[in-house]
Amino acid sequence: MKGSIRISEIFGPTVQGEGPLIGRPTVFVRTGGCDYRCSWCDTLYAVLPEFRGDWTLMTPTAILTEVERLSRSSRVLVSLSGGNPALQPLAPLIEQGRQKGHTFALETQGSVSQPWFAALDWLILSPKPPSSGMATNWQALDDCVAAAKSETQCVVKVAVFDDGDYRYAQLVANRYPALPLYLQVGNPAPLITHAGAGSEEADIDELMRRFRWLVDKVAADGWFTATVLPQLHVLAWGNIRGV
Amino acid sequence: MKGSIRISEIFGPTVQGEGPLIGRPTVFVRTGGCDYRCSWCDTLYAVLPEFRGDWTLMTPTAILTEVERLSRSSRVLVSLSGGNPALQPLAPLIEQGRQKGHTFALETQGSVSQPWFAALDWLILSPKPPSSGMATNWQALDDCVAAAKSETQCVVKVAVFDDGDYRYAQLVANRYPALPLYLQVGNPAPLITHAGAGSEEADIDELMRRFRWLVDKVAADGWFTATVLPQLHVLAWGNIRGV
């Protein structure tokens, strides 16, 4: 169907576990398909073509119907995630949803820019650091930042697993000094390659050790404009889907 | 000394563990003395008169000198906490500090309003729910909200230990619909009555169980304007001072 959106899962309401909207009640709309293959991807079921059979083509209206079934018709923050949701034709969904009073946040690695980013309430650009094994297309990332316009709150979020990732985050901060920057504690969880599979128990001690390490680095460097956060949903629910 | 401020401790840089500034690097300035005696107070060493001997009278200049020693002269978010910092004459400190480029957030239960709240960058009003054993003076809280003016970001944060606290938080939300509201997972930690004393190990499983309980309630009620957060510093460092 023309205009249909490839959906991996729609779930909630739960709370956003990451970044500037941490703790905010939200319904997640996760699209299927990605142009990246990050070494530590925690949502391969929304990335790899072998899971294509699990994805559904949905119209914007059908997606909104499901969102509102979950929110019981209340206005809600819709978190567009992936995969890379920038690969999907989301403009009509965002337009229809905002007309109904919903708020939209989209998270993408910033490899593909779309003019409709300007219609979002929040654009969370999450360029991937060296430990992901992916190379950043800086021109594409610049284009994403430029697409946001003034009505969209644009922020940058970088997962940090090691010193190399930390240096990369500093580069990003220097390139976009006007954007709020979030450092996210890297989660070295075993991959979940299918619903219910994989190790679901999160190693909270290890995640908190990494959090303290990151706080210590930021404090030692006097990098006081960065915000340091763990993935709250992993602490609360472990490495499982649908929370 | 006239104009001196009663200080319990100054420490950092660390990250703010609660509320709208969660994850933000900050230096804490904790004042000594409080008009409340909350049943679950986790900073009695800044509240009870018997700890008065540990508190120091400091001038605004001396406090800023210490803040800048800790921040190594970088501009930093200063978190004014207590005790109840609204009992102290903080206007000159805030004015001098902002002139030097620092940002100021103050957290108070909202029992005492001050005209200088208008000079803050952030005013975090944390009225105490029934489980604290304290009664809310609504007129005083209204006065605090009114004191904030437009340049101060004013938010409300309510600790929730049980259903009664949750209903109280809903009352607060209804009274101040324009203010962002944060629900904070109550921490049933054993009290630390002196530095180093008490049980320092946080029961993370229990805190996360309470967090999930709170998320479930908010989701079930469709209360999507509230933000639900745990105390990040307790998860990361346990129930200890100076982090």
Side-chain angles (χ1 to χ4, degrees), chain B residues 59-223:
Chain B
T59 63
T61 302
I63 293 170
L64 282 176
T65 299
E66 177 61 6
V67 166
E68 294 184 342
R69 184 185 71 79
L70 293 168
S71 78
R72 280 171 296 145
S73 303
S74 287
R75 294 173 179 195
V76 72
L77 168 67
V78 179
S79 292
L80 301 167
S81 186
N84 184 359
L87 301 179
Q88 303 295 319
L90 296 180
L93 171 65
I94 297 164
E95 188 187 348
Q96 283 180 45
R98 292 194 67 187
Q99 277 171 5
K100 300 182 92 174
H102 303 300
T103 303
F104 284 83
L106 179 139
E107 177 168 332
T108 176
Q109 62 264 46
S111 55
V112 175
S113 172
Q114 295 285 3
W116 48 259
F117 284 175
L120 292 163
D121 297 281
W122 290 84
L123 174 62
I124 295 131
L125 296 172
S126 187
K128 302 306 174 189
S131 68
S132 70
M134 304 305 298
T136 300
N137 178 336
W138 295 100
Q139 182 58 56
L141 192 57
D142 288 348
D143 292 346
C144 288
V145 171
K149 304 288 182 299
S150 62
E151 279 176 49
T152 302
Q153 301 209 58
C154 183
V155 309
V156 181
K157 180 161 68 79
V158 180
V160 177
F161 287 76
D162 55 30
D163 284 312
D165 291 354
Y166 182 80
R167 285 190 295 273
Y168 172 88
Q170 289 178 313
L171 280 180
V172 171
N174 289 336
R175 191 174 182 98
Y176 309 108
L179 299 185
L181 186 135
Y182 292 77
L183 299 178
Q184 180 169 297
V185 178
N187 175 16
L191 295 181
I192 297 175
T193 51
H194 211 290
S199 172
E200 299 182 352
E201 190 87 3
D203 185 345
I204 292 184
D205 286 347
E206 170 64 12
L207 290 171
M208 287 292 97
R209 190 191 63 72
R210 286 166 176 257
F211 174 73
R212 292 190 299 268
W213 167 77
L214 202 41
V215 170
D216 287 346
K217 282 187 82 75
V218 162
D221 290 344
W223 189 6

Side-chain angles (χ1 to χ4, degrees), chain A residues 35-36 109-114 117 125 136-147 175-176:
Chain A
D35 47 324
Y36 270 28
Q109 62 264 46
S111 55
V112 175
S113 172
Q114 295 286 2
F117 284 174
L125 296 172
T136 300
N137 178 337
W138 294 101
Q139 183 58 55
L141 192 57
D142 288 349
D143 291 346
C144 288
V145 171
R175 191 175 182 98
Y176 308 109

Side-chain angles (χ1 to χ4, degrees), chain A residues 13-15 21-27 70-72 74-77 182 204-205 208 211-212 215-216 218-230 232-233 235-237, chain B residues 13-15 21-27 70-72 74-77 182 204-205 208 211-212 215-216 218-230 232-233 235-237:
Chain A
T14 181
V15 291
L21 300 167
I22 191 167
R24 204 73 65 85
T26 188
V27 170
L70 293 169
S71 79
R72 280 173 293 148
S74 287
R75 295 173 178 195
V76 71
L77 168 68
Y182 292 78
I204 293 185
D205 285 347
M208 287 292 99
F211 174 73
R212 291 191 297 270
V215 170
D216 287 346
V218 162
D221 290 345
W223 188 6
F224 300 148
T225 53
T227 300
V228 186
L229 289 172
L232 190 47
H233 56 291
L235 300 180
W237 288 282
Chain B
T14 179
V15 291
L21 299 167
I22 192 168
R24 205 72 65 84
T26 188
V27 170
L70 293 168
S71 78
R72 280 171 296 145
S74 287
R75 294 173 179 195
V76 72
L77 168 67
Y182 292 77
I204 292 184
D205 286 347
M208 287 292 97
F211 174 73
R212 292 190 299 268
V215 170
D216 287 346
V218 162
D221 290 344
W223 189 6
F224 300 149
T225 53
T227 300
V228 186
L229 290 172
L232 190 48
H233 55 291
L235 300 180
W237 287 282

Side-chain angles (χ1 to χ4, degrees), chain A residues 15-24 26 28 30 40 42-43 77 79 81 105 107-108 122 124-126 128 155-159 182-187 227-235 237 239 243, chain B residues 22 211 227-229:
Chain A
V15 291
Q16 175 58 253
E18 306 178 354
L21 300 167
I22 191 167
R24 204 73 65 85
T26 188
F28 279 89
R30 189 184 304 285
W40 33 252
D42 56 359
T43 50
L77 168 68
S79 293
S81 186
E107 178 167 332
T108 175
W122 289 85
I124 295 131
L125 296 172
S126 187
K128 303 306 174 190
V155 309
V156 181
K157 179 161 69 78
V158 180
Y182 292 78
L183 300 177
Q184 179 168 297
V185 177
N187 176 15
T227 300
V228 186
L229 289 172
Q231 290 173 297
L232 190 47
H233 56 291
V234 175
L235 300 180
W237 288 282
N239 296 301
V243 291
Chain B
I22 192 168
F211 174 73
T227 300
V228 186
L229 290 172

